[in-house]
Amino acid sequence: MGVKTAVTVGIAGVAAVGLVARTLVRERGDSVGDGRHPEGWKAVTILGDPEEFSAGGYPAPLERLRDALEVRIDPAPGDKGFEVHARVRDGADLPDDPDQALRTALRDAKQLFETGEVLRATPRPHGHRSVSLRGAVVDKAEDDAKGEGVL
């Protein structure tokens, strides 16, 4: 077995252990506050003026899903901006994973409102790279990053 093969097998093993650990953490996550809200609400805290946020419609990522969402805006604790709460309406037609679409829209709307742009990991400034096992793991993590996590 060559060094390159041993490294690839080692990385695949670490990735497999990581996936198992992630699954176990998700199963326990419901009791520590990062589980799904019982009514399906997800929220982000945004620094700024709430009237400016909703003037003329919401930022584009949230506005695209507006017909499928129920949105509520509340003041954030300690005068730290405002909170945007959103959930998918019953019977709304969203892509394959509505939770992931909602998380992505909320995160993108927050970035767009606060910074004026949505940060992207792709396209990479150094151009296209050849496909490899390690690169595929990184690409998958980047693709899933915006639609995962606590919101």
Side-chain angles (χ1 to χ4, degrees):
M1 180 184 315
V3 173
K4 201 172 187 178
T5 304
V7 169
T8 302
V9 169
I11 289 172
V14 169
V17 169
L19 288 173
V20 169
R22 181 178 167 194
T23 302
L24 293 174
V25 168
R26 277 187 173 177
E27 289 175 1
R28 292 181 16 177
D30 289 343
S31 64
V32 293
D34 59 351
R36 181 177 170 77
H37 187 279
E39 297 173 4
W41 290 100
K42 300 193 182 311
V44 291
T45 302
I46 298 177
L47 188 60
D49 182 10
E51 292 178 15
E52 197 176 306
F53 181 79
S54 56
Y58 299 122
L62 205 53
E63 189 67 29
R64 279 193 292 270
L65 302 177
R66 186 178 190 146
D67 293 339
L69 298 179
E70 192 175 331
V71 179
R72 171 181 102 226
I73 297 177
D74 294 329
D79 285 337
K80 303 288 184 187
F82 59 97
E83 296 175 339
V84 178
H85 302 261
R87 68 178 173 185
V88 178
R89 293 180 192 273
D90 289 336
D93 188 27
L94 281 179
D96 298 336
D97 187 350
D99 284 345
Q100 187 168 11
L102 178 56
R103 283 188 183 105
T104 301
L106 283 171
R107 287 185 172 133
D108 287 353
K110 174 183 171 75
Q111 287 181 18
L112 194 59
F113 182 74
E114 290 181 342
T115 68
E117 64 182 309
V118 178
L119 301 176
R120 300 271 181 229
T122 55
R124 293 176 178 82
H126 56 272
H128 183 73
R129 68 173 181 232
S130 60
V131 176
S132 68
L133 179 59
R134 289 176 277 182
V137 171
V138 172
D139 289 346
K140 177 70 176 150
E142 287 177 352
D143 291 345
D144 291 346
K146 281 196 165 195
E148 298 289 331
V150 178
L151 244 189

